[in-house]
């Protein structure tokens, strides 16, 4: 009907990226269900997550500053000198997620475990 014709016209005049996204089939809904929401709501979830991460970073910065003030002089600097090592370790662990996905997938309990 008319709706199908309008959809065809919209696809014809859409950008290449929009056409490729429109042709992708939704194969599975994520456990969160976010990918099943309308695009505007998905954008809202992303934006609110982005804002929450930023707010958490600000809070952590304030917490670290308070910790530095509370510790005896020199202790925080010694602890801070270990942060590059921690960064290397976190990056290495992150890479292993891609190198050995089966090992990390096995950590999760089977579906239905939590109810």
């Amino acid at each position: 009907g008319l709706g199908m014709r309008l959809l065809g016209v919209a696809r014809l005049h859409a950008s290449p990226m929009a056409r490729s996204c429109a042709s992708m089939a939704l194969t599975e809904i994520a456990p969160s269900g976010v990918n099943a929401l309308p695009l505007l709501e998905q954008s809202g979830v992303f934006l609110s997550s982005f804002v929450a991460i930023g707010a958490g970073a600000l809070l952590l910065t304030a917490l670290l500053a308070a910790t530095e003030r509370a510790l005896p002089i020199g202790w925080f600097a010694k602890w801070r000198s270990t942060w590059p090592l921690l960064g290397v370790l976190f990056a290495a662990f992150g890479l292993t997620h891609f190198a050995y996905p089966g090992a990390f997938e096995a950590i999760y309990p089977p579906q239905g475990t939590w109810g």
Side-chain angles (χ1 to χ4, degrees), residues 80-89:
R80 190 174 185 169
S81 69
T82 67
W83 293 358
L85 175 62
L86 291 174
V88 169
L89 287 174

mmCIF file of all heavy atoms in Angstrom, residues 80-89:
data_model
loop_
_atom_site.group_PDB
_atom_site.id
_atom_site.type_symbol
_atom_site.label_atom_id
_atom_site.label_comp_id
_atom_site.label_asym_id
_atom_site.label_seq_id
_atom_site.Cartn_x
_atom_site.Cartn_y
_atom_site.Cartn_z
ATOM 1 N N ARG A 80 50.864 6.357 43.409
ATOM 2 C CA ARG A 80 50.594 6.863 42.053
ATOM 3 C C ARG A 80 51.657 6.371 41.067
ATOM 4 O O ARG A 80 51.370 6.207 39.888
ATOM 5 C CB ARG A 80 50.552 8.382 42.084
ATOM 6 C CG ARG A 80 50.046 8.985 40.822
ATOM 7 C CD ARG A 80 49.895 10.468 40.975
ATOM 8 N NE ARG A 80 49.289 11.011 39.784
ATOM 9 C CZ ARG A 80 48.844 12.222 39.675
ATOM 10 N NH1 ARG A 80 48.934 13.053 40.698
ATOM 11 N NH2 ARG A 80 48.313 12.645 38.564
ATOM 12 N N SER A 81 52.850 6.120 41.517
ATOM 13 C CA SER A 81 53.908 5.642 40.615
ATOM 14 C C SER A 81 53.605 4.244 40.084
ATOM 15 O O SER A 81 54.203 3.819 39.087
ATOM 16 C CB SER A 81 55.259 5.672 41.320
ATOM 17 O OG SER A 81 55.311 4.697 42.345
ATOM 18 N N THR A 82 52.682 3.510 40.711
ATOM 19 C CA THR A 82 52.316 2.171 40.233
ATOM 20 C C THR A 82 51.214 2.221 39.168
ATOM 21 O O THR A 82 50.930 1.210 38.535
ATOM 22 C CB THR A 82 51.838 1.280 41.393
ATOM 23 O OG1 THR A 82 50.600 1.795 41.915
ATOM 24 C CG2 THR A 82 52.876 1.175 42.489
ATOM 25 N N TRP A 83 50.588 3.360 38.961
ATOM 26 C CA TRP A 83 49.461 3.452 38.034
ATOM 27 C C TRP A 83 49.819 3.077 36.593
ATOM 28 O O TRP A 83 49.024 2.421 35.925
ATOM 29 C CB TRP A 83 48.810 4.824 38.104
ATOM 30 C CG TRP A 83 48.128 5.107 39.411
ATOM 31 C CD1 TRP A 83 48.010 4.269 40.490
ATOM 32 C CD2 TRP A 83 47.478 6.316 39.791
ATOM 33 N NE1 TRP A 83 47.334 4.886 41.506
ATOM 34 C CE2 TRP A 83 46.996 6.148 41.104
ATOM 35 C CE3 TRP A 83 47.270 7.524 39.158
ATOM 36 C CZ2 TRP A 83 46.299 7.142 41.778
ATOM 37 C CZ3 TRP A 83 46.579 8.519 39.835
ATOM 38 C CH2 TRP A 83 46.095 8.322 41.122
ATOM 39 N N PRO A 84 51.007 3.457 36.074
ATOM 40 C CA PRO A 84 51.320 3.016 34.705
ATOM 41 C C PRO A 84 51.358 1.488 34.576
ATOM 42 O O PRO A 84 50.898 0.933 33.571
ATOM 43 C CB PRO A 84 52.695 3.629 34.438
ATOM 44 C CG PRO A 84 52.733 4.841 35.309
ATOM 45 C CD PRO A 84 51.988 4.434 36.558
ATOM 46 N N LEU A 85 51.867 0.810 35.597
ATOM 47 C CA LEU A 85 51.870 -0.659 35.581
ATOM 48 C C LEU A 85 50.439 -1.193 35.551
ATOM 49 O O LEU A 85 50.127 -2.129 34.799
ATOM 50 C CB LEU A 85 52.618 -1.207 36.797
ATOM 51 C CG LEU A 85 52.586 -2.726 36.971
ATOM 52 C CD1 LEU A 85 53.248 -3.419 35.789
ATOM 53 C CD2 LEU A 85 53.266 -3.119 38.268
ATOM 54 N N LEU A 86 49.576 -0.606 36.364
ATOM 55 C CA LEU A 86 48.170 -1.023 36.352
ATOM 56 C C LEU A 86 47.541 -0.789 34.982
ATOM 57 O O LEU A 86 46.763 -1.613 34.493
ATOM 58 C CB LEU A 86 47.382 -0.274 37.429
ATOM 59 C CG LEU A 86 47.706 -0.638 38.871
ATOM 60 C CD1 LEU A 86 46.948 0.283 39.827
ATOM 61 C CD2 LEU A 86 47.362 -2.086 39.140
ATOM 62 N N GLY A 87 47.894 0.324 34.344
ATOM 63 C CA GLY A 87 47.374 0.621 33.013
ATOM 64 C C GLY A 87 47.794 -0.431 32.001
ATOM 65 O O GLY A 87 46.984 -0.886 31.183
ATOM 66 N N VAL A 88 49.053 -0.845 32.064
ATOM 67 C CA VAL A 88 49.556 -1.886 31.156
ATOM 68 C C VAL A 88 48.825 -3.199 31.413
ATOM 69 O O VAL A 88 48.425 -3.905 30.470
ATOM 70 C CB VAL A 88 51.087 -2.053 31.318
ATOM 71 C CG1 VAL A 88 51.589 -3.298 30.604
ATOM 72 C CG2 VAL A 88 51.807 -0.817 30.799
ATOM 73 N N LEU A 89 48.627 -3.531 32.683
ATOM 74 C CA LEU A 89 47.906 -4.771 33.011
ATOM 75 C C LEU A 89 46.464 -4.740 32.513
ATOM 76 O O LEU A 89 45.985 -5.716 31.923
ATOM 77 C CB LEU A 89 47.938 -5.019 34.521
ATOM 78 C CG LEU A 89 49.271 -5.478 35.096
ATOM 79 C CD1 LEU A 89 49.203 -5.540 36.615
ATOM 80 C CD2 LEU A 89 49.632 -6.839 34.529
#
